[in-house]
Amino acid sequence: MSQRPVISIQSIMRILPQSQCGQCGFAGCWPYARAIVRGEAPPDLCAPGGMTTATALAALHAGSGPMAHAGAPKPAQRPLETLGINVHECIGCGRCLPVCPVDAIAGAVGFLHAVLADSCTGCQLCLAACPADSFVPAPGECRACAATARYRYRYARKRRRLARALRPESRRVATARKQREITEALERVRKRRGWQAAPPTLE
Ligand code: SF4
Ligand code: SF4
């Protein structure tokens, strides 16, 4: 009886383009790679990677099982194209910051934003988020199938950061934060009413 080869997520990640564009229907290359390993997704969903990527993924299965047969992926809904920001259009709203899967946009709310050219994968997810239409093509090297360690690293770093932000606060940290907020609120009231130390009593 032939045994299904053991395939790691990392071996698949080395083949996927790492644009993190979501055109496979998953929230990035890593979730797609995990679905392939679990046998939940076929190897031919990555449109930017095209037939080259699909064939390489199928080959990992060493010619056995249904996953070893890749059809031609659907054409890409949008091409991978690196972007920049038109400084005359950016209104500093910050809406593009959370959608960039590799944190390639630098900026803060109220300030002009900029794209870090060597980190932009060309996924174009920021286009739909920008209400001012300020993203413009900024052609760099072709990103398709680049599979660079930089994109993997930056994507993983953003995932970890978001996971940390979603983690519930420990009781000790929550208590300290509440205490600090109460102290700061009291201080603001004191200043506004001109109290020196403690608020006046009723008697
Ligand atoms: S590059 Fe391919 S595998 Fe990665 S998110 Fe885009 S479609 Fe999915
Ligand atoms: S700047 Fe835009 S195109 Fe570049 S990686 Fe971020 S979301 Fe994708």
Side-chain angles (χ1 to χ4, degrees):
M1 192 176 78
S2 69
Q3 278 207 325
R4 203 175 135 189
V6 177
I7 296 166
S8 71
I9 293 180
Q10 286 310 324
S11 63
I12 293 176
M13 285 291 275
R14 279 192 283 275
I15 294 172
L16 294 175
Q18 302 302 315
S19 87
Q20 318 299 351
C21 64
Q23 295 188 56
C24 52
F26 292 84
C29 302
W30 194 86
Y32 177 41
R34 184 180 54 184
I36 293 176
V37 166
R38 290 177 175 174
E40 296 167 356
D44 51 15
L45 295 183
C46 177
M51 204 56 210
T52 310
T53 296
T55 310
L57 289 176
L60 273 185
H61 290 262
S64 66
M67 296 291 286
H69 305 289
K74 287 187 195 145
Q77 296 150 14
R78 50 185 191 276
L80 298 181
E81 185 174 41
T82 49
L83 301 177
I85 289 179
N86 181 340
V87 295
H88 302 294
E89 302 288 346
C90 176
I91 55 174
C93 68
R95 290 193 194 175
C96 54
L97 296 174
V99 302
C100 180
V102 287
D103 276 343
I105 305 170
V109 175
F111 294 91
L112 179 65
H113 290 41
V115 174
L116 309 176
D118 60 352
S119 300
C120 173
T121 68
C123 70
Q124 310 218 353
L125 294 176
C126 50
L127 280 182
C130 178
D133 219 8
S134 62
F135 284 89
V136 290
E141 72 181 82
C142 174
R143 307 288 172 171
C145 299
T148 66
R150 171 188 287 272
Y151 302 152
R152 274 202 301 275
Y153 167 74
R154 292 187 72 93
Y155 177 67
R157 193 176 62 170
K158 177 150 191 174
R159 279 171 59 92
R160 280 198 301 275
R161 186 166 60 74
L162 292 178
R164 267 200 309 276
L166 290 174
R167 214 179 285 156
E169 285 177 307
S170 72
R171 182 177 291 185
R172 186 178 59 76
V173 172
T175 306
R177 181 177 55 74
K178 275 188 197 144
Q179 187 66 50
R180 196 175 57 245
E181 285 170 2
I182 290 170
T183 308
E184 287 169 358
L186 276 173
E187 191 56 34
R188 280 197 299 276
V189 172
R190 277 186 192 139
K191 277 192 182 145
R192 205 166 53 235
R193 300 194 177 176
W195 295 338
Q196 289 305 309
T201 58
L202 290 176
E203 290 187 329

